[in-house]
Amino acid sequence: MAVDFAAELNQEQLAAVQAPDGPVLIIAAAGTGKTRTLVYRVAWLVEQGVRGENILLLTFTNKAAKEIMERARDRVGETALHGMWGGTFHHVANRILRYHAELIGYRKDFGILDSDDQKSLYKTVYDELGLKGDDRFPKPPVLISLFSLAANKAVPAEDLIADRFQNVHMDVERILKVHHTYTARKQALNVMDFDDLLLNAVRVLAEHAGPREYYQHKFRYVMVDEYQDTNPVQAELVRLLSGGSGNLLVVGDDFQSIYGWRGADYRNILHFPEENPGASMYKLVTNYRSVPGILQVANRCIAGNPEQFQKEIRAVREGGPTPVAAKLSDGSHQARYIINAIRTLRRAGYKYGDITILYRAHFHAMEMQLELNREQIPHVITSGVRFFEQAHIKDVLCLSRLALNPRDELAFIRLLCLLPGIGAKGAQNLWKKLNQRFDPLLSEERKRLADAIPKRGKEPWQPIHDALEAADRELLRGNPGELIHLYLNAFYDEYAVETYDNYPQRLEDIQGLMDYTASFPSLEAFLSELALQTNLDESIRREDEPQDAVRLGTIHQAKGLEYPVVFVLWCVDGMFPSGRALDEDDSGGESEERRLFYVAATRAKDHLTFGIPQVRRQRDGGLVYYTPSRFISELPDGTLREERGGYY
Ligand code: ATP
Ligand code: MG
């Protein structure tokens, strides 16, 4: 089966696909066919007689690797790719370690720790080192993320420690001691965490000539997609694996580097030519994806970011709609506006599956999710669990649920189980002792609980108890956010710090939730709305994942994907760019936010709409006013068509 490369690729792509042996850099802006070029490169290699087992393809998701391999297989036939390796860095590292873990003191059947396991193991280490009750010592999640970042950036942890705790005195020796104990324990238990997979695979290859030579011989062709988002450890792994033939081909777009906060370093791609002397370089400048109006937004917003390969981008498509800036009053208005737009687009022939709604942070999509449920529009949420089903959201709603319905056993059990020292069994017993009811708003019921609670739970419960005693009952009933606020201050905030490594995001979610309650007149109105939504959810879900559905997800997850219709939520300063990311030293600051905006815009083929709500209500009834995102207000007049939410 011969592939007609010249007919299916443009000149630039064809040249890249047929690049001679040696290092190759394909650098191009969004939608110019980088990923497509990889498909044909694989097919082309096979046509040159290269065997599948000699090819390694590294991608950002396993799904991407599968797709590329399938599309190549469609072109060269079923058997030709036999033995080819493709997947994420973690996937490939794991595979290597399954053969060679013994070289670094592990058994081959090692287990992999997920983040919960990792936290438990850290806690045991804290116990053992007598750090448990020490309030001034950083909690496990803080150290876990610190050491993970150090690992991924390949910098000494000491440097990050000094950075992070600039203003507090920290016992660096003790912090390192925790890490050493944790590392030794993992080895003893024959388990690795996620970062270990990469680090250990690098160790195997760097320290042992046997496997290194084996893989360098085996993988005569190594290819990497989305190279701009590799971190130094991944780059090292690539270097070790491709060191034999030197036939390393990397594809990427420095404009789309959006994982700096996790240790990715776009300089890997910027410096590729210097680090790989003799590299041939290909630029793709023809965009097949988007109408010109969308590309204009993309080009304008990214221009001026320092330190990047300058790339012009040429539209193949002509005409098409101008992207829209939708000026709306608030989050609910934004949701209703988008639903109207979706209906209009459906009438124009688009399917639900053609449409995606993107956001900078999970909580931005709260009103959107509720409204899609209410309107029974089939949708799939790709950013993990639905907003209201996330553990931390459910946790902070327990007290409120009990205040509304003191017989809500599930809420009671969940609430009590969050206290250290109380398990499901203990909570169950307690529930019986209280005659199966607990109303946190009634003083006598609170007293009964306080008396009945087992010794270990008493102390952590006390602040919640005291806060409830001091609070104004009518206020709690009338303002659904108050009880969440009270619980957060008395207990949950500290609990979340200790429990979650992504505490800042979770806190942001909870704050978003509290603000959202402001639109409800009472606890009852708020909780019945949620309950109703959850039930609706169930009925939609029964048919399993709808085939034809609107996709909701974070921009980070949309990388590399394309949709005919894209909506971006909350394009206002402080939300996008995220105020938190602008403040944090670790993230890439404004430049990375700008690249994220670029990624969002370039997902769209035909229709691109930025939602720009003007206000967000807060828990206490106050209003926060927002101005349009700087990425939007900087665009020249006429780049966007302004809408005020009436018609689409
Ligand atoms: P991103 O930067 O978002 O990862 P990309 O550069 O990897 O994008 P692709 O996803 O490979 O781009 O291609 C974008 C779209 O353009 C796809 O729909 C692809 O099929 C189409 N396309 C690319 N090259 C051609 C071509 N030569 N002829 C027709 N369509 C093409
Ligand atoms: Mg791509």
Side-chain angles (χ1 to χ4, degrees), residues 30-36 38 225-226 251 256 289 559-561 603:
T32 50
K34 292 184 298 297
T35 302
R36 184 183 170 100
L38 282 178
D225 197 5
E226 307 275 3
V251 175
Q256 295 185 65
R289 180 179 291 151
K559 196 162 91 147
L561 305 178
R603 298 310 95 203

Side-chain angles (χ1 to χ4, degrees), residues 381-548:
I381 294 164
T382 53
S383 50
V385 203
R386 286 158 192 262
F387 185 83
F388 295 101
E389 290 170 17
Q390 301 177 98
H392 53 292
I393 296 299
K394 285 178 142 176
D395 289 348
V396 299
L397 286 171
C398 289
L399 262 189
S400 312
R401 283 168 55 186
L402 283 162
L404 184 68
N405 170 21
R407 299 219 169 258
D408 189 336
E409 175 173 355
L410 292 179
F412 181 83
I413 305 281
R414 183 171 191 120
L415 177 70
L416 270 290
C417 285
L418 292 170
L419 303 177
I422 299 193
K425 195 111 212 155
Q428 209 90 47
N429 288 337
L430 207 49
W431 183 242
K432 284 200 200 107
K433 266 195 216 158
L434 299 175
N435 292 329
Q436 305 186 310
R437 62 166 287 137
F438 172 63
D439 184 342
L441 300 189
L442 290 182
S443 172
E444 57 277 24
E445 301 213 359
R446 285 198 296 267
K447 185 164 178 337
R448 284 176 59 205
L449 174 61
D451 291 341
I453 208 164
K455 216 161 119 223
R456 289 193 60 194
K458 265 201 171 54
E459 196 190 328
W461 178 255
Q462 195 63 41
I464 306 174
H465 179 91
D466 293 345
L468 285 167
E469 287 291 322
D472 175 344
R473 192 168 149 220
E474 287 318 304
L475 184 74
L476 294 185
R477 276 206 184 287
N479 303 50
E482 287 305 317
L483 202 48
I484 304 174
H485 181 65
L486 175 153
Y487 179 59
L488 185 69
N489 281 346
F491 173 77
Y492 199 76
D493 190 51
E494 198 177 324
Y495 171 87
V497 170
E498 288 171 15
T499 311
Y500 298 118
D501 47 353
N502 59 349
Y503 162 78
Q505 281 95 312
R506 299 209 188 220
L507 182 66
E508 212 174 50
D509 283 347
I510 296 170
Q511 273 157 352
L513 177 78
M514 291 196 291
D515 290 345
Y516 178 63
T517 60
S519 45
F520 296 90
S522 66
L523 195 56
E524 189 176 351
F526 173 59
L527 289 178
S528 11
E529 172 76 14
L530 291 199
L532 197 65
Q533 294 296 342
T534 321
N535 287 338
L536 275 181
D537 250 2
E538 288 302 332
S539 67
I540 293 176
R541 204 173 321 158
R542 230 170 282 138
E543 302 139 3
D544 266 340
E545 273 212 348
Q547 286 287 309
D548 181 27

